[in-house]
Amino acid sequence: MPSSTSPDQGEDLETCVLRFSDLDLKDTSLINPSSSLKAELDVSTKKKYSFAKKKAFALFVKTKEVPAPSFECKEKWWKCCQQLFIEQTSIHRHVATQHAGEICHQTASILKQLTATLNSSKSLKSADKRNPLVEYLTRNHDVSAWLPDISCFSRDELISGQDSDKGEVLLYYCYRDLEDPHWVCAWQTALCQHLHLTGKVRIATEGINGTVGGSKLATRLYVEIMLSCPLFKDYLCKDDFKTSEGGACCFPELRVGVFEEIVPMGISPNKISYKKPGIHLSPGEFHKEVEKFLSQANQEQSDTILLDCRNFYESKIGRFQGCLAPDIRKFSYFPSYVDKNLELFRQKRVLMYCTGGIRCERGSAYLKAKGVCKEVFQLKGGIHKYLEEFPDGFYKGKLFVFDERYALSFNSDILSECSYCGTPWDHYKVCSTPQCRQLVLTCPACLGQGFTACCVTCQEKGNRPASGPAQNSFKEECECTARRPRIPSELALKAQLPASPGPRPDVAEDGPCLCELHRQHSSKPSQS
């Protein structure tokens, strides 16, 4: 077992983990939820710091395991950042140098939970009174005990169709208190690897949020084991799993981790809890509410606001008619958006929606906590479930998804346009400039002319390869997103509308003067 060396000795992260590669990932005896900070830990817990750091590292490496080919002597390889690692020392070195921040986050999470061990003896005595089955599951069972039996299926059957439109992608979430998220993390990692699933699974003390892809057989087995697991069987039902065509090919790898929130709103679940959300409306009920809202002669004077909780690049290619779509870049800006535009929601009935419903759970709780709205409603199952029932309803355009498909199509409407020439277009691509991950709408004609970047700055850089150690790092935002107000003021925008009723010429939404750049290129005399 690892020693309890004090962190004051300054042991190098990479070195210490290479020596503790056989760390027992199933040992959960020291993991109990707590909200104390590392600085507040007592002396005995500080001695566990070295253990927590090593365990965090080992858990992270564990999530990167992939089966080695059958002709190899080794049982496993590792895949991370779209790179394949055959040697354990190589993946350790990669994680230590490229993922130090995530390791620190995991270590802090474990350390917070360690403080609860001060009263562990008392809590363990009363554990069987609280939930004996869950306690037995997490404390006394190897994760392999909760994997489905696949002995009756061949490997080919499990992976058949996972890389084509014959496969499937599952989208789901479940809010429920989890006493040991790290055990759930190890179990989910093993489960997904067992079924050859790829995707992303976020786990926290408040629940689980997953998007996984694979063959239809594999996703069916995954749903079955989730619905039978004592941790979730009383909280999840089959209808909570949204499905779409896809497969393992939709994700570059499997990523499973423990976080503070299962959807990153940026506010501790201890402050804004999922237990106080808005009123859930079924797709049918939501449809009727939207129909009533749209039938009003003057929607601006209505007591109802139809609020899109997603990011601007999501609502840009698809949204409900008559909605308010905040021009924000990520969901962690949503609370600040609400605060800045609080008067907009005063004495209003708010109908909220998002992709699958998870952002509305915390978002509606935050809006309700402000105490200014008449009522707050949310679309149960999100746009995904609505479109299953009303493909030709009030939602127009594509549904953005966070995987390599980028969007799902349920109708033929195109709401957005090419950033360069303005022709109707709604298929995103990633900016062609190395180290930039912004999305760009560029039609085939403009793509053929070499217009592949998100903004003028990136376009001028061309496809020059990145140099130096920044090869594996990416910009958080680019010129085209940095120019946008981080938190827009809706009232200020309304005040500006009369002065500028139409869009400014030669300025595309995604960047400065992209249309002008296109015209300059088109007007150049051809060279023969």
Side-chain angles (χ1 to χ4, degrees):
M1 284 295 293
S3 65
S4 57
T5 307
S6 168
D8 297 334
Q9 294 181 16
E11 190 172 32
D12 178 72
L13 179 63
E14 181 183 358
T15 305
C16 75
V17 176
L18 289 175
R19 291 209 308 269
F20 287 89
S21 59
D22 60 343
L23 189 61
D24 182 9
L25 299 182
K26 301 164 191 170
D27 178 11
T28 60
S29 61
L30 293 175
I31 299 183
N32 294 287
S34 173
S35 60
S36 300
L37 297 173
K38 171 188 166 186
E40 297 171 350
L41 299 177
D42 64 4
V43 175
S44 63
T45 308
K46 281 184 178 179
K47 291 180 181 178
K48 305 297 183 184
Y49 175 79
S50 181
F51 169 79
K53 181 172 64 173
K54 295 162 193 170
K55 188 157 190 172
F57 193 101
L59 281 166
F60 188 90
V61 172
K62 180 75 174 173
T63 65
K64 304 303 176 184
E65 289 181 5
V66 295
S70 56
F71 58 82
E72 287 287 334
C73 298
K74 298 178 180 180
E75 294 183 358
K76 58 191 177 185
W77 286 355
W78 297 265
K79 189 176 181 182
C80 188
C81 298
Q82 301 187 40
Q83 300 178 56
L84 194 63
F85 300 89
I86 300 175
E87 299 298 331
Q88 192 175 52
T89 52
S90 299
I91 182 64
H92 283 175
R93 189 170 294 107
H94 171 80
V95 172
T97 55
Q98 301 299 324
H99 298 281
E102 291 160 270
I103 299 304
C104 287
H105 178 84
Q106 289 274 47
T107 302
S109 176
I110 294 175
L111 283 168
K112 290 176 185 179
Q113 295 172 7
L114 283 171
T115 60
T117 59
L118 296 173
N119 299 315
S120 61
S121 59
K122 292 181 181 179
S123 62
L124 284 174
K125 287 178 182 178
S126 59
D128 55 349
K129 295 180 182 178
R130 295 196 306 271
N131 195 334
L133 192 57
V134 172
E135 289 292 329
Y136 180 71
L137 169 71
T138 58
R139 296 190 180 279
N140 302 300
H141 265 71
D142 186 313
V143 293
S144 62
W146 290 93
L147 301 181
D149 180 9
I150 58 173
S151 58
C152 57
F153 305 110
S154 68
R155 184 176 185 275
D156 288 341
E157 286 179 293
L158 276 174
I159 65 174
S160 176
Q162 68 170 6
D163 293 325
S164 70
D165 57 6
K166 295 180 181 178
E168 193 168 57
V169 171
L170 291 176
L171 173 68
Y172 76 96
Y173 68 90
C174 178
Y175 276 106
R176 63 94 72 223
D177 291 343
L178 295 176
E179 295 188 9
D180 191 348
H182 291 277
W183 185 91
V184 178
C185 178
W187 169 55
Q188 280 290 311
T189 301
L191 176 60
C192 291
Q193 291 173 348
H194 190 61
L195 297 174
H196 303 280
L197 298 171
T198 60
K200 298 170 283 186
V201 183
R202 290 177 67 99
I203 301 146
T205 55
E206 65 174 356
I208 185 170
N209 174 20
T211 309
V212 294
S215 68
K216 289 187 177 179
L217 171 60
T219 55
R220 176 174 66 79
L221 292 171
Y222 182 88
V223 172
E224 287 177 0
I225 201 70
M226 288 296 293
L227 294 178
S228 64
C229 176
L231 287 171
F232 299 107
K233 69 176 185 177
D234 294 331
Y235 299 86
L236 276 173
C237 67
K238 192 172 182 180
D239 198 49
D240 290 323
F241 291 86
K242 279 77 75 173
T243 61
S244 56
E245 288 185 354
C249 57
C250 297
F251 306 91
E253 59 187 353
L254 173 66
R255 300 182 65 183
V256 185
V258 177
F259 301 85
E260 186 178 17
E261 308 168 84
I262 59 173
V263 62
M265 190 170 78
I267 295 179
S268 170
N270 295 327
K271 294 181 178 179
I272 299 294
S273 172
Y274 70 88
K275 297 176 182 178
K276 298 180 180 180
I279 300 169
H280 291 74
L281 297 179
S282 68
E285 293 169 330
F286 196 85
H287 183 81
K288 289 179 181 177
E289 287 287 347
V290 175
E291 185 176 36
K292 185 167 66 174
F293 168 67
L294 293 176
S295 68
Q296 296 174 3
N298 191 341
Q299 293 168 12
E300 287 192 4
Q301 300 301 318
S302 171
D303 70 339
T304 300
I305 291 178
L306 182 55
L307 179 62
D308 193 322
C309 293
R310 301 173 302 157
N311 306 320
F312 76 86
Y313 51 85
E314 297 176 76
S315 59
K316 184 174 183 178
I317 63 171
R319 55 191 176 271
F320 274 97
Q321 294 172 260
C323 75
L324 170 61
D327 193 16
I328 55 176
R329 196 169 57 84
K330 49 188 179 180
F331 185 56
S332 57
Y333 294 174
F334 182 77
S336 297
Y337 173 83
V338 169
D339 293 345
K340 191 168 185 176
N341 296 279
L342 203 56
E343 285 303 310
L344 197 66
F345 301 104
R346 192 170 297 281
Q347 292 302 304
K348 297 286 187 179
R349 297 173 71 252
V350 180
L351 302 171
M352 299 175 68
Y353 69 88
C354 60
T355 305
I358 186 170
R359 282 179 275 189
C360 285
E361 300 285 0
R362 295 282 309 287
S364 65
Y366 186 83
L367 190 54
K368 275 184 65 180
K370 293 298 172 180
V372 299
C373 301
K374 276 185 184 178
E375 293 174 295
V376 179
F377 301 93
Q378 63 187 82
L379 174 57
K380 185 177 181 181
I383 304 165
H384 211 298
K385 281 294 181 184
Y386 177 86
L387 287 172
E388 287 179 11
E389 199 168 327
F390 300 98
D392 297 313
F394 298 116
Y395 185 91
K396 304 299 181 183
K398 297 281 198 304
L399 172 59
F400 184 92
V401 289
F402 290 91
D403 58 56
E404 296 190 2
R405 297 171 299 173
Y406 292 117
L408 303 178
S409 180
F410 291 82
N411 54 61
S412 59
D413 299 295
I414 300 177
L415 304 189
S416 50
E417 57 187 32
C418 173
S419 299
Y420 287 91
C421 68
T423 191
W425 189 251
D426 59 6
H427 294 275
Y428 276 120
K429 287 188 177 296
V430 177
C431 177
S432 58
T433 302
Q435 314 311 307
C436 182
R437 302 179 77 174
Q438 309 306 313
L439 297 174
V440 58
L441 291 169
T442 177
C443 69
C446 291
L447 196 65
Q449 296 180 62
F451 295 116
T452 57
C454 64
C455 64
V456 171
T457 301
C458 278
Q459 186 66 39
E460 290 175 350
K461 289 179 182 177
N463 292 316
R464 296 194 300 269
S467 59
Q471 183 71 39
N472 293 317
S473 63
F474 295 92
K475 288 190 293 184
E476 180 71 11
E477 58 184 4
C478 192
E479 179 179 321
C480 52
T481 49
R483 288 173 62 253
R484 322 174 74 89
R486 184 175 181 274
I487 310 297
S489 170
E490 300 295 347
L491 295 176
L493 288 172
K494 283 184 178 181
Q496 294 172 7
L497 285 178
S500 51
R504 289 181 298 158
D506 303 334
V507 179
E509 277 192 71
D510 292 319
C513 303
L514 288 181
C515 296
E516 178 63 25
L517 184 68
H518 176 266
R519 273 206 293 273
Q520 290 174 3
H521 184 274
S522 302
S523 62
K524 287 181 181 178
S526 58
Q527 297 180 359
S528 56

